[in-house]
Amino acid sequence: MAIVSKVYCSPVEAALVVRRRPHAVGGGGFVVTDCSSTRVVFRVDGCGVLGTSSELVVRDGDGDTLLLIRRKAGGIIEAMSIHKKWKGYIYDYEGAQKLVFSIKEPHSTSSISCFSGSSSSSAIKISLEPRKINGPDGIFHIKGHFPDRDCSIVDSGGNPIAQIQKEMGELMASKDVYRVIVRAGIDQAFVCGVIAVLDHIYGESTVC
């Protein structure tokens, strides 16, 4: 299931650790490491680096851009809607942006139930683009509550493709460090992009 790149689709289940950066260090965002090797695999920059609250960037371990995620520009139609939309882009070989997924969030986080699932109108919805090609298999939802570090990205059949969990051990009480388990064959860069948007929705490390 390559969305950003097949390079990030592991044939085995992957365990990643997310560590939030304070805004005083690199402008906020977070760093993602491989649990087994502690190697940095992704970095996410928020508005503390980019200077705008509506853009997020997912980079690889070397700092090269993998994903540019933008919140759709406001307007009369969006102002009347109860939802906001984020769009994730990769770059093709010519440097042009290519839309690969979109995320629809409720207008207010207070409307997101901790029991939200694919059957809930308040669930955060993720769609692979273009939708005409991906169809229902390209629809995902967030089940659970991200601020509690207890949620999953689930497919249209309700099967988890990635699970966000509290990190165990001496740092288990901190929300600044948590674990992400990614199912075999799932694009880890895509999962990281979804987490970046969740982080912003709930006003965490990527927000100024």
PDB file of all heavy atoms in Angstrom, residues 101-135:
ATOM      1  N   PHE A 101      -3.689  12.336  -0.498  1.00  0.00           N
ATOM      2  CA  PHE A 101      -4.741  12.056   0.474  1.00  0.00           C
ATOM      3  C   PHE A 101      -5.336  13.355   0.999  1.00  0.00           C
ATOM      4  O   PHE A 101      -4.736  14.430   0.903  1.00  0.00           O
ATOM      5  CB  PHE A 101      -4.240  11.191   1.642  1.00  0.00           C
ATOM      6  CG  PHE A 101      -3.269  11.864   2.580  1.00  0.00           C
ATOM      7  CD1 PHE A 101      -3.715  12.641   3.645  1.00  0.00           C
ATOM      8  CD2 PHE A 101      -1.906  11.705   2.415  1.00  0.00           C
ATOM      9  CE1 PHE A 101      -2.823  13.259   4.517  1.00  0.00           C
ATOM     10  CE2 PHE A 101      -1.005  12.308   3.281  1.00  0.00           C
ATOM     11  CZ  PHE A 101      -1.464  13.083   4.332  1.00  0.00           C
ATOM     12  N   SER A 102      -6.531  13.242   1.555  1.00  0.00           N
ATOM     13  CA  SER A 102      -7.178  14.385   2.207  1.00  0.00           C
ATOM     14  C   SER A 102      -7.753  13.895   3.534  1.00  0.00           C
ATOM     15  O   SER A 102      -8.077  12.723   3.697  1.00  0.00           O
ATOM     16  CB  SER A 102      -8.286  14.979   1.336  1.00  0.00           C
ATOM     17  OG  SER A 102      -9.284  14.019   1.050  1.00  0.00           O
ATOM     18  N   ILE A 103      -7.850  14.812   4.492  1.00  0.00           N
ATOM     19  CA  ILE A 103      -8.367  14.483   5.821  1.00  0.00           C
ATOM     20  C   ILE A 103      -9.444  15.490   6.179  1.00  0.00           C
ATOM     21  O   ILE A 103      -9.223  16.701   6.136  1.00  0.00           O
ATOM     22  CB  ILE A 103      -7.247  14.504   6.886  1.00  0.00           C
ATOM     23  CG1 ILE A 103      -6.176  13.466   6.547  1.00  0.00           C
ATOM     24  CG2 ILE A 103      -7.831  14.260   8.279  1.00  0.00           C
ATOM     25  CD1 ILE A 103      -5.020  13.446   7.527  1.00  0.00           C
ATOM     26  N   LYS A 104     -10.610  14.981   6.531  1.00  0.00           N
ATOM     27  CA  LYS A 104     -11.729  15.840   6.924  1.00  0.00           C
ATOM     28  C   LYS A 104     -11.877  15.786   8.430  1.00  0.00           C
ATOM     29  O   LYS A 104     -11.971  14.711   9.025  1.00  0.00           O
ATOM     30  CB  LYS A 104     -13.017  15.387   6.241  1.00  0.00           C
ATOM     31  CG  LYS A 104     -14.218  16.288   6.525  1.00  0.00           C
ATOM     32  CD  LYS A 104     -15.473  15.736   5.882  1.00  0.00           C
ATOM     33  CE  LYS A 104     -15.410  15.873   4.355  1.00  0.00           C
ATOM     34  NZ  LYS A 104     -16.689  15.434   3.726  1.00  0.00           N
ATOM     35  N   GLU A 105     -11.848  16.944   9.062  1.00  0.00           N
ATOM     36  CA  GLU A 105     -11.994  17.019  10.517  1.00  0.00           C
ATOM     37  C   GLU A 105     -13.239  17.807  10.883  1.00  0.00           C
ATOM     38  O   GLU A 105     -13.646  18.715  10.155  1.00  0.00           O
ATOM     39  CB  GLU A 105     -10.771  17.686  11.143  1.00  0.00           C
ATOM     40  CG  GLU A 105     -10.515  19.095  10.626  1.00  0.00           C
ATOM     41  CD  GLU A 105      -9.633  19.922  11.550  1.00  0.00           C
ATOM     42  OE1 GLU A 105      -9.997  20.049  12.729  1.00  0.00           O
ATOM     43  OE2 GLU A 105      -8.618  20.439  11.080  1.00  0.00           O
ATOM     44  N   PRO A 106     -13.868  17.497  12.006  1.00  0.00           N
ATOM     45  CA  PRO A 106     -14.996  18.305  12.478  1.00  0.00           C
ATOM     46  C   PRO A 106     -14.545  19.734  12.750  1.00  0.00           C
ATOM     47  O   PRO A 106     -13.364  19.985  12.986  1.00  0.00           O
ATOM     48  CB  PRO A 106     -15.435  17.597  13.759  1.00  0.00           C
ATOM     49  CG  PRO A 106     -14.960  16.200  13.586  1.00  0.00           C
ATOM     50  CD  PRO A 106     -13.668  16.318  12.836  1.00  0.00           C
ATOM     51  N   HIS A 107     -15.480  20.655  12.726  1.00  0.00           N
ATOM     52  CA  HIS A 107     -15.159  22.072  12.906  1.00  0.00           C
ATOM     53  C   HIS A 107     -14.579  22.337  14.286  1.00  0.00           C
ATOM     54  O   HIS A 107     -13.754  23.221  14.473  1.00  0.00           O
ATOM     55  CB  HIS A 107     -16.415  22.921  12.700  1.00  0.00           C
ATOM     56  CG  HIS A 107     -16.154  24.394  12.677  1.00  0.00           C
ATOM     57  ND1 HIS A 107     -15.442  25.000  11.659  1.00  0.00           N
ATOM     58  CD2 HIS A 107     -16.471  25.381  13.561  1.00  0.00           C
ATOM     59  CE1 HIS A 107     -15.357  26.297  11.915  1.00  0.00           C
ATOM     60  NE2 HIS A 107     -15.959  26.546  13.057  1.00  0.00           N
ATOM     61  N   SER A 108     -14.979  21.554  15.280  1.00  0.00           N
ATOM     62  CA  SER A 108     -14.502  21.726  16.648  1.00  0.00           C
ATOM     63  C   SER A 108     -14.097  20.385  17.220  1.00  0.00           C
ATOM     64  O   SER A 108     -14.777  19.382  17.015  1.00  0.00           O
ATOM     65  CB  SER A 108     -15.592  22.346  17.528  1.00  0.00           C
ATOM     66  OG  SER A 108     -15.212  22.327  18.890  1.00  0.00           O
ATOM     67  N   THR A 109     -12.967  20.340  17.950  1.00  0.00           N
ATOM     68  CA  THR A 109     -12.534  19.087  18.555  1.00  0.00           C
ATOM     69  C   THR A 109     -13.499  18.628  19.638  1.00  0.00           C
ATOM     70  O   THR A 109     -13.512  17.463  19.997  1.00  0.00           O
ATOM     71  CB  THR A 109     -11.128  19.231  19.182  1.00  0.00           C
ATOM     72  OG1 THR A 109     -11.133  20.336  20.115  1.00  0.00           O
ATOM     73  CG2 THR A 109     -10.098  19.488  18.112  1.00  0.00           C
ATOM     74  N   SER A 110     -14.323  19.528  20.141  1.00  0.00           N
ATOM     75  CA  SER A 110     -15.296  19.138  21.166  1.00  0.00           C
ATOM     76  C   SER A 110     -16.364  18.224  20.591  1.00  0.00           C
ATOM     77  O   SER A 110     -17.066  17.525  21.330  1.00  0.00           O
ATOM     78  CB  SER A 110     -15.952  20.376  21.776  1.00  0.00           C
ATOM     79  OG  SER A 110     -16.684  21.101  20.793  1.00  0.00           O
ATOM     80  N   SER A 111     -16.493  18.222  19.250  1.00  0.00           N
ATOM     81  CA  SER A 111     -17.494  17.361  18.619  1.00  0.00           C
ATOM     82  C   SER A 111     -16.939  15.988  18.289  1.00  0.00           C
ATOM     83  O   SER A 111     -17.652  15.129  17.798  1.00  0.00           O
ATOM     84  CB  SER A 111     -18.017  18.014  17.328  1.00  0.00           C
ATOM     85  OG  SER A 111     -16.990  18.099  16.358  1.00  0.00           O
ATOM     86  N   ILE A 112     -15.643  15.764  18.579  1.00  0.00           N
ATOM     87  CA  ILE A 112     -15.037  14.476  18.293  1.00  0.00           C
ATOM     88  C   ILE A 112     -15.161  13.595  19.520  1.00  0.00           C
ATOM     89  O   ILE A 112     -14.500  13.798  20.519  1.00  0.00           O
ATOM     90  CB  ILE A 112     -13.543  14.622  17.919  1.00  0.00           C
ATOM     91  CG1 ILE A 112     -13.373  15.615  16.761  1.00  0.00           C
ATOM     92  CG2 ILE A 112     -12.963  13.276  17.527  1.00  0.00           C
ATOM     93  CD1 ILE A 112     -11.939  15.894  16.412  1.00  0.00           C
ATOM     94  N   SER A 113     -16.023  12.620  19.451  1.00  0.00           N
ATOM     95  CA  SER A 113     -16.218  11.709  20.577  1.00  0.00           C
ATOM     96  C   SER A 113     -15.038  10.765  20.699  1.00  0.00           C
ATOM     97  O   SER A 113     -14.457  10.355  19.707  1.00  0.00           O
ATOM     98  CB  SER A 113     -17.500  10.895  20.367  1.00  0.00           C
ATOM     99  OG  SER A 113     -17.552   9.808  21.257  1.00  0.00           O
ATOM    100  N   CYS A 114     -14.692  10.411  21.931  1.00  0.00           N
ATOM    101  CA  CYS A 114     -13.604   9.459  22.127  1.00  0.00           C
ATOM    102  C   CYS A 114     -13.997   8.072  21.646  1.00  0.00           C
ATOM    103  O   CYS A 114     -13.154   7.180  21.554  1.00  0.00           O
ATOM    104  CB  CYS A 114     -13.177   9.401  23.594  1.00  0.00           C
ATOM    105  SG  CYS A 114     -14.470   8.853  24.722  1.00  0.00           S
ATOM    106  N   PHE A 115     -15.287   7.891  21.319  1.00  0.00           N
ATOM    107  CA  PHE A 115     -15.734   6.609  20.799  1.00  0.00           C
ATOM    108  C   PHE A 115     -15.997   6.686  19.296  1.00  0.00           C
ATOM    109  O   PHE A 115     -16.582   5.792  18.718  1.00  0.00           O
ATOM    110  CB  PHE A 115     -17.008   6.151  21.519  1.00  0.00           C
ATOM    111  CG  PHE A 115     -16.814   5.949  22.989  1.00  0.00           C
ATOM    112  CD1 PHE A 115     -17.300   6.868  23.902  1.00  0.00           C
ATOM    113  CD2 PHE A 115     -16.113   4.845  23.468  1.00  0.00           C
ATOM    114  CE1 PHE A 115     -17.110   6.683  25.259  1.00  0.00           C
ATOM    115  CE2 PHE A 115     -15.918   4.669  24.822  1.00  0.00           C
ATOM    116  CZ  PHE A 115     -16.414   5.586  25.728  1.00  0.00           C
ATOM    117  N   SER A 116     -15.545   7.782  18.667  1.00  0.00           N
ATOM    118  CA  SER A 116     -15.807   7.972  17.251  1.00  0.00           C
ATOM    119  C   SER A 116     -15.211   6.835  16.434  1.00  0.00           C
ATOM    120  O   SER A 116     -14.082   6.434  16.639  1.00  0.00           O
ATOM    121  CB  SER A 116     -15.202   9.305  16.769  1.00  0.00           C
ATOM    122  OG  SER A 116     -15.895  10.390  17.327  1.00  0.00           O
ATOM    123  N   GLY A 117     -15.987   6.335  15.518  1.00  0.00           N
ATOM    124  CA  GLY A 117     -15.521   5.299  14.605  1.00  0.00           C
ATOM    125  C   GLY A 117     -16.062   5.584  13.225  1.00  0.00           C
ATOM    126  O   GLY A 117     -16.563   6.674  12.945  1.00  0.00           O
ATOM    127  N   SER A 118     -15.969   4.621  12.342  1.00  0.00           N
ATOM    128  CA  SER A 118     -16.391   4.847  10.961  1.00  0.00           C
ATOM    129  C   SER A 118     -17.885   5.107  10.841  1.00  0.00           C
ATOM    130  O   SER A 118     -18.341   5.666   9.850  1.00  0.00           O
ATOM    131  CB  SER A 118     -16.008   3.633  10.097  1.00  0.00           C
ATOM    132  OG  SER A 118     -16.610   2.461  10.607  1.00  0.00           O
ATOM    133  N   SER A 119     -18.673   4.712  11.849  1.00  0.00           N
ATOM    134  CA  SER A 119     -20.118   4.925  11.791  1.00  0.00           C
ATOM    135  C   SER A 119     -20.530   6.259  12.378  1.00  0.00           C
ATOM    136  O   SER A 119     -21.691   6.631  12.350  1.00  0.00           O
ATOM    137  CB  SER A 119     -20.833   3.793  12.545  1.00  0.00           C
ATOM    138  OG  SER A 119     -20.462   3.800  13.910  1.00  0.00           O
ATOM    139  N   SER A 120     -19.574   7.010  12.933  1.00  0.00           N
ATOM    140  CA  SER A 120     -19.898   8.269  13.578  1.00  0.00           C
ATOM    141  C   SER A 120     -19.700   9.432  12.627  1.00  0.00           C
ATOM    142  O   SER A 120     -18.701   9.516  11.929  1.00  0.00           O
ATOM    143  CB  SER A 120     -19.010   8.477  14.814  1.00  0.00           C
ATOM    144  OG  SER A 120     -19.171   9.782  15.329  1.00  0.00           O
ATOM    145  N   SER A 121     -20.654  10.358  12.617  1.00  0.00           N
ATOM    146  CA  SER A 121     -20.542  11.531  11.750  1.00  0.00           C
ATOM    147  C   SER A 121     -19.445  12.465  12.225  1.00  0.00           C
ATOM    148  O   SER A 121     -19.018  13.345  11.481  1.00  0.00           O
ATOM    149  CB  SER A 121     -21.888  12.267  11.696  1.00  0.00           C
ATOM    150  OG  SER A 121     -22.246  12.712  12.999  1.00  0.00           O
ATOM    151  N   SER A 122     -19.002  12.304  13.487  1.00  0.00           N
ATOM    152  CA  SER A 122     -17.962  13.178  14.019  1.00  0.00           C
ATOM    153  C   SER A 122     -16.564  12.578  13.860  1.00  0.00           C
ATOM    154  O   SER A 122     -15.583  13.164  14.290  1.00  0.00           O
ATOM    155  CB  SER A 122     -18.228  13.467  15.504  1.00  0.00           C
ATOM    156  OG  SER A 122     -18.142  12.282  16.275  1.00  0.00           O
ATOM    157  N   ALA A 123     -16.472  11.390  13.254  1.00  0.00           N
ATOM    158  CA  ALA A 123     -15.175  10.739  13.088  1.00  0.00           C
ATOM    159  C   ALA A 123     -14.327  11.508  12.082  1.00  0.00           C
ATOM    160  O   ALA A 123     -14.837  12.089  11.122  1.00  0.00           O
ATOM    161  CB  ALA A 123     -15.364   9.301  12.622  1.00  0.00           C
ATOM    162  N   ILE A 124     -13.027  11.521  12.318  1.00  0.00           N
ATOM    163  CA  ILE A 124     -12.088  12.122  11.373  1.00  0.00           C
ATOM    164  C   ILE A 124     -11.919  11.156  10.205  1.00  0.00           C
ATOM    165  O   ILE A 124     -11.583   9.984  10.395  1.00  0.00           O
ATOM    166  CB  ILE A 124     -10.745  12.402  12.063  1.00  0.00           C
ATOM    167  CG1 ILE A 124     -10.942  13.429  13.177  1.00  0.00           C
ATOM    168  CG2 ILE A 124      -9.719  12.906  11.054  1.00  0.00           C
ATOM    169  CD1 ILE A 124      -9.726  13.634  14.046  1.00  0.00           C
ATOM    170  N   LYS A 125     -12.148  11.638   8.996  1.00  0.00           N
ATOM    171  CA  LYS A 125     -12.150  10.792   7.806  1.00  0.00           C
ATOM    172  C   LYS A 125     -10.937  11.075   6.935  1.00  0.00           C
ATOM    173  O   LYS A 125     -10.595  12.226   6.682  1.00  0.00           O
ATOM    174  CB  LYS A 125     -13.434  11.052   7.005  1.00  0.00           C
ATOM    175  CG  LYS A 125     -13.551  10.240   5.719  1.00  0.00           C
ATOM    176  CD  LYS A 125     -14.844  10.598   4.995  1.00  0.00           C
ATOM    177  CE  LYS A 125     -14.977   9.892   3.667  1.00  0.00           C
ATOM    178  NZ  LYS A 125     -16.215  10.285   2.957  1.00  0.00           N
ATOM    179  N   ILE A 126     -10.289  10.007   6.472  1.00  0.00           N
ATOM    180  CA  ILE A 126      -9.116  10.110   5.610  1.00  0.00           C
ATOM    181  C   ILE A 126      -9.458   9.463   4.278  1.00  0.00           C
ATOM    182  O   ILE A 126      -9.956   8.326   4.240  1.00  0.00           O
ATOM    183  CB  ILE A 126      -7.909   9.392   6.245  1.00  0.00           C
ATOM    184  CG1 ILE A 126      -7.649   9.931   7.654  1.00  0.00           C
ATOM    185  CG2 ILE A 126      -6.667   9.535   5.379  1.00  0.00           C
ATOM    186  CD1 ILE A 126      -7.105   8.912   8.595  1.00  0.00           C
ATOM    187  N   SER A 127      -9.187  10.154   3.183  1.00  0.00           N
ATOM    188  CA  SER A 127      -9.478   9.622   1.846  1.00  0.00           C
ATOM    189  C   SER A 127      -8.223   9.651   0.990  1.00  0.00           C
ATOM    190  O   SER A 127      -7.547  10.681   0.901  1.00  0.00           O
ATOM    191  CB  SER A 127     -10.567  10.453   1.156  1.00  0.00           C
ATOM    192  OG  SER A 127     -11.746  10.516   1.932  1.00  0.00           O
ATOM    193  N   LEU A 128      -7.909   8.515   0.364  1.00  0.00           N
ATOM    194  CA  LEU A 128      -6.815   8.496  -0.606  1.00  0.00           C
ATOM    195  C   LEU A 128      -7.301   9.152  -1.889  1.00  0.00           C
ATOM    196  O   LEU A 128      -8.456   9.013  -2.274  1.00  0.00           O
ATOM    197  CB  LEU A 128      -6.351   7.063  -0.875  1.00  0.00           C
ATOM    198  CG  LEU A 128      -5.847   6.268   0.337  1.00  0.00           C
ATOM    199  CD1 LEU A 128      -5.289   4.918  -0.130  1.00  0.00           C
ATOM    200  CD2 LEU A 128      -4.788   7.042   1.104  1.00  0.00           C
ATOM    201  N   GLU A 129      -6.404   9.870  -2.539  1.00  0.00           N
ATOM    202  CA  GLU A 129      -6.759  10.556  -3.782  1.00  0.00           C
ATOM    203  C   GLU A 129      -5.977   9.957  -4.960  1.00  0.00           C
ATOM    204  O   GLU A 129      -4.842   9.525  -4.782  1.00  0.00           O
ATOM    205  CB  GLU A 129      -6.437  12.060  -3.649  1.00  0.00           C
ATOM    206  CG  GLU A 129      -7.084  12.764  -2.465  1.00  0.00           C
ATOM    207  CD  GLU A 129      -8.578  12.977  -2.631  1.00  0.00           C
ATOM    208  OE1 GLU A 129      -9.111  12.705  -3.734  1.00  0.00           O
ATOM    209  OE2 GLU A 129      -9.220  13.422  -1.666  1.00  0.00           O
ATOM    210  N   PRO A 130      -6.582   9.933  -6.164  1.00  0.00           N
ATOM    211  CA  PRO A 130      -7.945  10.373  -6.471  1.00  0.00           C
ATOM    212  C   PRO A 130      -8.985   9.349  -6.020  1.00  0.00           C
ATOM    213  O   PRO A 130      -8.759   8.151  -6.108  1.00  0.00           O
ATOM    214  CB  PRO A 130      -7.928  10.528  -7.997  1.00  0.00           C
ATOM    215  CG  PRO A 130      -6.882   9.556  -8.449  1.00  0.00           C
ATOM    216  CD  PRO A 130      -5.842   9.539  -7.367  1.00  0.00           C
ATOM    217  N   ARG A 131     -10.101   9.835  -5.541  1.00  0.00           N
ATOM    218  CA  ARG A 131     -11.119   8.959  -4.964  1.00  0.00           C
ATOM    219  C   ARG A 131     -11.747   8.036  -5.996  1.00  0.00           C
ATOM    220  O   ARG A 131     -12.147   6.914  -5.684  1.00  0.00           O
ATOM    221  CB  ARG A 131     -12.209   9.803  -4.302  1.00  0.00           C
ATOM    222  CG  ARG A 131     -11.705  10.630  -3.143  1.00  0.00           C
ATOM    223  CD  ARG A 131     -12.822  11.325  -2.421  1.00  0.00           C
ATOM    224  NE  ARG A 131     -12.308  12.360  -1.532  1.00  0.00           N
ATOM    225  CZ  ARG A 131     -13.070  13.100  -0.758  1.00  0.00           C
ATOM    226  NH1 ARG A 131     -14.380  12.934  -0.769  1.00  0.00           N
ATOM    227  NH2 ARG A 131     -12.535  14.026   0.030  1.00  0.00           N
ATOM    228  N   LYS A 132     -11.853   8.492  -7.252  1.00  0.00           N
ATOM    229  CA  LYS A 132     -12.486   7.668  -8.282  1.00  0.00           C
ATOM    230  C   LYS A 132     -11.703   6.381  -8.524  1.00  0.00           C
ATOM    231  O   LYS A 132     -12.271   5.355  -8.881  1.00  0.00           O
ATOM    232  CB  LYS A 132     -12.598   8.463  -9.590  1.00  0.00           C
ATOM    233  CG  LYS A 132     -13.619   9.582  -9.534  1.00  0.00           C
ATOM    234  CD  LYS A 132     -13.727  10.284 -10.880  1.00  0.00           C
ATOM    235  CE  LYS A 132     -14.761  11.393 -10.834  1.00  0.00           C
ATOM    236  NZ  LYS A 132     -14.878  12.103 -12.148  1.00  0.00           N
ATOM    237  N   ILE A 133     -10.398   6.437  -8.309  1.00  0.00           N
ATOM    238  CA  ILE A 133      -9.550   5.260  -8.522  1.00  0.00           C
ATOM    239  C   ILE A 133      -9.534   4.376  -7.280  1.00  0.00           C
ATOM    240  O   ILE A 133      -9.633   3.157  -7.353  1.00  0.00           O
ATOM    241  CB  ILE A 133      -8.117   5.678  -8.901  1.00  0.00           C
ATOM    242  CG1 ILE A 133      -8.129   6.404 -10.264  1.00  0.00           C
ATOM    243  CG2 ILE A 133      -7.177   4.480  -8.936  1.00  0.00           C
ATOM    244  CD1 ILE A 133      -6.778   6.922 -10.678  1.00  0.00           C
ATOM    245  N   ASN A 134      -9.410   4.987  -6.100  1.00  0.00           N
ATOM    246  CA  ASN A 134      -9.260   4.225  -4.864  1.00  0.00           C
ATOM    247  C   ASN A 134     -10.569   3.657  -4.326  1.00  0.00           C
ATOM    248  O   ASN A 134     -10.573   2.603  -3.703  1.00  0.00           O
ATOM    249  CB  ASN A 134      -8.600   5.108  -3.803  1.00  0.00           C
ATOM    250  CG  ASN A 134      -7.143   5.391  -4.111  1.00  0.00           C
ATOM    251  OD1 ASN A 134      -6.300   4.521  -3.965  1.00  0.00           O
ATOM    252  ND2 ASN A 134      -6.853   6.599  -4.556  1.00  0.00           N
ATOM    253  N   GLY A 135     -11.678   4.364  -4.564  1.00  0.00           N
ATOM    254  CA  GLY A 135     -12.973   3.866  -4.142  1.00  0.00           C
ATOM    255  C   GLY A 135     -13.074   3.676  -2.632  1.00  0.00           C
ATOM    256  O   GLY A 135     -12.339   4.284  -1.853  1.00  0.00           O
TER     257      GLY A 135
END
